[in-house]
Amino acid sequence: MIYVLALIGLVVVIVLLWKSFGPETGAPRGRVTGPDDDPEFLWKIRNNPARDRGNGPERPDAGTPGSVD
């Protein structure tokens, strides 16, 4: 009976070591980048034609000295 318990304990230890140090089978753990770090997103922001046309309303006091933002 003691040999069966020792065998079960050995199998448990081997499985735990395999899970800890064996090859990873899950999803790859890459660096997650936010939109502000994504080169494609930044390229789209820089090359946005709507931004260059000035589609938004312009504030009349923008850039004048003494204006409060």
Side-chain angles (χ1 to χ4, degrees):
M1 182 68 178
I2 191 79
Y3 294 115
V4 173
L5 291 175
L7 182 63
I8 291 172
L10 182 64
V11 168
V12 167
V13 168
I14 290 172
V15 168
L16 289 175
L17 287 174
W18 179 261
K19 291 286 187 180
S20 297
F21 300 109
E24 293 187 28
T25 57
R29 296 181 186 174
R31 179 176 170 236
V32 177
T33 58
D36 56 342
D37 292 337
D38 184 17
E40 183 179 342
F41 176 78
L42 294 174
W43 183 85
K44 286 179 184 177
I45 292 294
R46 274 184 252 130
N47 297 320
N48 185 2
R51 187 191 73 182
D52 295 335
R53 285 189 300 236
N55 285 342
E58 201 170 311
R59 290 182 16 205
D61 63 340
T64 58
S67 64
V68 179
D69 288 329

